[in-house]
C-alpha cells in the first residue's frame, strides 16, 4: 500500500520527466571524476543516490534522481528536496524519511518479478543496484539508446554481499571520498546479483530493438557493449536528430 492513494499516479508523473529518446544514466563509481559529463548536457539523464556530490565539479544536472539505499535516504533527504530535482525513492525506504518530508517524494515499489513488468506504477523488478531501477525507468519511458557512465563494477572494500558496515576511512569506492566517509553506514555490494539483473535489462531492451551501452571509463562490467565517451556522444547526437 502506498502512503496515499495518488502515489501510483505520481510514479507515472515521475516517469514523464523522461522522453522516448537517448538517455544517460550516471552512476557513482570513481571513474565519474574522469568523465566529461558536460559533453552530455544535450541529453536527458538519470542520476543515482548521492549524485549531488558531483554538482560542484560540473554544469551537468540530471532530469531525475532515484535512490533505493535507506541509509542514503535517511541522511540525504534534505539535499534531495533542496535540489529541486524530481526524486523517486523505493517504498521500503519510507520509514527513513522524516514525517514532514514524506509527501515531498514519490515512492516506487520493488517486487520479485524476474522481468521489468508492464506497468511501472505497480512496481519495478527488485535488483541489487539502483542502476537496475534506473534502467527500468528508462525502458518504460521509451528511451533508446541508453548510455551508462560511472558504473565501475569494482569495489576495494571486500566482504559478504549486503553486509552492513560502518566506514572507517575516506570512501575509495565512489567518486567522492565523503560519499560513504568515516562513520557512515552502508551495505557491501552484490556484484553477481547485479550482473544477473543487468542481463535481464539487456535482454528486455533488445527484445524491443533498443540498446544499452556502457561508456564507463575502465569499467569492469561485461554485460553491456562498450563505447568510448566520443562514440557515446556521437551515437546519441545521431539518435537525437
Amino acid at each position: 500500500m502506498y502512503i496515499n492513494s495518488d502515489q501510483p499516479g505520481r510514479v507515472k508523473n515521475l516517469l514523464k520527466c523522461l522522453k522516448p529518446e537517448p538517455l544517460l544514466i550516471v552512476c557513482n563509481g570513481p571513474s565519474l571524476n574522469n568523465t566529461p559529463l558536460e559533453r552530455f548536457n544535450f541529453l536527458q539523464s538519470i542520476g543515482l543516490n548521492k549524485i549531488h556530490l558531483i554538482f560542484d565539479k560540473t554544469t551537468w544536472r540530471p532530469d531525475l534522481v532515484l535512490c533505493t539505499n535507506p541509509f542514503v535516504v535517511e541522511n540525504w533527504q534534505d539535499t534531495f528536496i533542496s535540489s529541486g530535482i524530481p526524486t523517486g525513492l523505493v517504498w521500503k525506504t519510507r520509514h527513513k524519511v522524516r514525517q514532514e518530508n514524506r509527501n515531498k517524494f514519490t515512492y516506487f515499489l520493488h517486487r520479485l518479478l524476474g522481468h521489468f513488468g508492464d506497468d511501472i506504477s505497480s512496481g519495478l523488478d527488485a535488483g541489487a543496484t539502483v542502476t537496475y531501477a534506473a534502467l527500468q525507468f528508462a525502458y518504460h519511458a521509451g528511451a533508446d539508446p541508453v548510455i551508462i557512465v560511472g558504473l565501475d563494477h569494482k569495489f576495494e572494500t571486500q566482504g559478504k554481499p549486503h553486509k552492513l558496515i560502518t566506514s572507517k576511512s575516506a570512501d575509495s569506492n565512489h567518486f567522492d571520498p565523503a560519499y560513504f566517509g568515516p562513520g557512515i553506514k552502508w551495505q557491501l555490494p552484490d556484484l553477481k546479483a547485479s550482473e544477473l539483473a543487468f542481463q535481464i535489462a539487456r535482454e528486455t531492451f533488445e527484445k524491443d530493438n533498443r540498446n544499452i551501452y556502457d561508456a564507463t571509463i575502465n569499467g569492469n562490467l561485461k554485460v553491456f557493449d562498450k563505447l568510448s565517451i566520443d562514440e557515446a556522444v556521437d551515437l546519441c547526437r545521431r539518435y537525437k536528430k
Side-chain angles (χ1 to χ4, degrees):
M1 183 178 295
Y2 288 86
I3 286 177
N4 51 49
S5 60
D6 69 344
Q7 277 295 329
R10 291 176 68 178
V11 173
K12 289 184 177 180
N13 285 337
L14 200 63
L15 187 63
K16 291 179 182 178
C17 296
L18 309 175
K19 301 174 183 178
E21 59 186 38
L23 181 143
L24 179 73
I25 294 177
V26 181
C27 303
N28 300 152
S31 66
L32 209 58
N33 289 314
N34 299 316
T35 303
L37 290 174
E38 294 87 355
R39 296 191 63 188
F40 294 98
N41 278 351
F42 70 98
L43 207 60
Q44 64 178 346
S45 58
I46 301 175
L48 308 178
N49 289 341
K50 291 188 176 183
I51 191 60
H52 303 73
L53 286 170
I54 201 78
F55 288 177
D56 287 343
K57 304 174 183 177
T58 177
T59 60
W60 168 85
R61 295 293 185 271
D63 296 276
L64 174 65
V65 171
L66 298 177
C67 183
T68 60
N69 186 308
F71 303 103
V72 173
V73 170
E74 182 176 22
N75 298 302
W76 208 246
Q77 56 190 280
D78 292 329
T79 299
F80 289 145
I81 294 168
S82 65
S83 74
I85 299 171
T87 302
L89 308 180
V90 73
W91 171 244
K92 69 179 181 179
T93 69
R94 68 196 184 281
H95 296 304
K96 298 293 186 179
V97 180
R98 297 193 308 276
Q99 188 67 43
E100 67 269 23
N101 285 338
R102 287 192 178 177
N103 283 327
K104 297 177 181 178
F105 294 102
T106 297
Y107 302 87
F108 55 91
L109 293 172
H110 262 174
R111 301 171 61 196
L112 296 175
L113 298 173
H115 57 88
F116 276 14
D118 298 322
D119 183 357
I120 197 168
S121 65
S122 65
L124 306 183
D125 189 24
T129 169
V130 65
T131 308
Y132 186 48
L135 285 166
Q136 291 175 79
F137 266 85
Y139 178 82
H140 285 289
D144 181 47
V146 173
I147 308 296
I148 303 175
V149 296
L151 182 57
D152 294 40
H153 200 62
K154 49 190 171 186
F155 284 73
E156 291 186 10
T157 306
Q158 300 293 312
K160 184 178 180 180
H162 306 292
K163 180 181 178 181
L164 178 62
I165 65 172
T166 300
S167 179
K168 297 180 180 179
S169 61
D171 189 346
S172 60
N173 301 297
H174 297 87
F175 66 86
D176 192 297
Y179 195 101
F180 288 136
I184 298 179
K185 293 180 179 179
W186 66 294
Q187 291 173 292
L188 296 179
D190 189 336
L191 298 184
K192 290 185 178 180
S194 296
E195 290 171 7
L196 292 174
F198 290 145
Q199 188 60 45
I200 292 173
R202 175 171 181 157
E203 292 171 359
T204 302
F205 270 76
E206 289 181 347
K207 285 179 181 177
D208 201 32
N209 294 314
R210 291 190 273 159
N211 293 287
I212 303 167
Y213 296 101
D214 183 0
T216 300
I217 297 172
N218 296 320
N220 201 41
L221 182 67
K222 295 178 172 55
V223 174
F224 305 119
D225 291 340
K226 302 284 189 177
L227 291 180
S228 68
I229 295 296
D230 286 343
E231 290 170 333
V233 170
D234 289 346
L235 176 65
C236 290
R237 287 197 183 281
R238 291 200 303 271
Y239 269 76
K240 284 273 288 185
K241 291 181 180 179

